[in-house]
Amino acid sequence: VHCLMFTGKSFVLYLCPKNIDDPEFIAKKISDITGISYNSILEKAKKRGYKYQVVNNSLDKETSDKIRELIREHSLDEQIKLTASAKRYYPYNDLCSHALGFVNADGVGIYGLEKTYNNILEGTNGKYITAQNAQSGDMPFQYETYIEDENGYNLVTTVDTYIQYQLELVLRNASIESGAQNRATGIVMNPQNGAIYAMATY
């Protein structure tokens, strides 16, 4: 079985400008860890009128662990936040893309298998639940709750990566050589049980 797609964990890093005491310090530390532009982070950290400013929405676990250590070391819980989110990965790049489909910028499936099975693939992102007083001000940190993320389910197909690659190659060559004006499509199936070994459009 070859994995054509899997959902991995990534992390969203954002700032709470209303709570930041030393924007320069925050920007310098985060820039050193992530490689993100110091000026870009500083600009977000200084936006006092905003409750949240997203710095990066796809940090890997290693980098997010360093950010967590920064938060712990300098007691920055109310200034820097991290939440887990799901991100799709395609080990074979665009192989079988017409059948697999794709997700939008928010990680929601909008075509193909990604769309059909989105509700069971996507899982649940981690999130903070915060409390506010009657004047819409933030309540003390102890009233904040973090709900952990939950992984989505896996989807196993009958697609064979070698057969899929060969079908896509044959369709491409046939379409170019014949001067096809519209498209070339093909399906390779197991005649005994209908299992799809390859499906492509060029």
Side-chain angles (χ1 to χ4, degrees), residues 84-86 121-127 147-152:
S85 65
L121 290 170
E122 66 179 350
T124 305
N125 291 341
K127 60 184 174 182
I147 298 177
E148 291 286 345
D149 59 291
E150 294 182 10
N151 291 330

Side-chain angles (χ1 to χ4, degrees), residues 27-124:
K28 176 71 167 62
K29 289 293 187 181
I30 293 178
S31 180
D32 288 346
I33 293 172
T34 63
I36 299 170
S37 161
Y38 167 82
N39 290 332
S40 169
I41 300 169
L42 183 61
E43 182 182 348
K44 293 176 186 294
K46 286 185 172 181
K47 291 191 173 182
R48 295 294 184 183
Y50 292 83
K51 188 169 184 179
Y52 300 117
Q53 283 288 293
V54 174
V55 175
N56 187 287
N57 59 10
S58 59
L59 287 183
D60 58 37
K61 186 177 186 306
E62 181 182 352
T63 305
S64 69
D65 286 344
K66 291 178 181 177
I67 295 290
R68 287 187 201 284
E69 182 57 35
L70 170 68
I71 294 171
R72 281 192 294 270
E73 185 180 342
H74 297 281
S75 300
L76 300 172
D77 308 78
E78 298 186 42
Q79 303 177 48
I80 303 173
K81 303 288 187 185
L82 274 172
T83 58
S85 65
K87 182 179 179 180
R88 298 280 209 276
Y89 295 90
Y90 303 93
Y92 293 89
N93 298 317
D94 60 356
L95 188 74
C96 200
S97 59
H98 286 96
L100 286 181
F102 51 87
V103 295
N104 62 17
D106 297 320
V108 177
I110 56 174
Y111 186 84
L113 295 176
E114 290 276 21
K115 179 180 180 181
T116 303
Y117 295 99
N118 181 73
N119 62 326
I120 63 171
L121 290 170
E122 66 179 350
T124 305

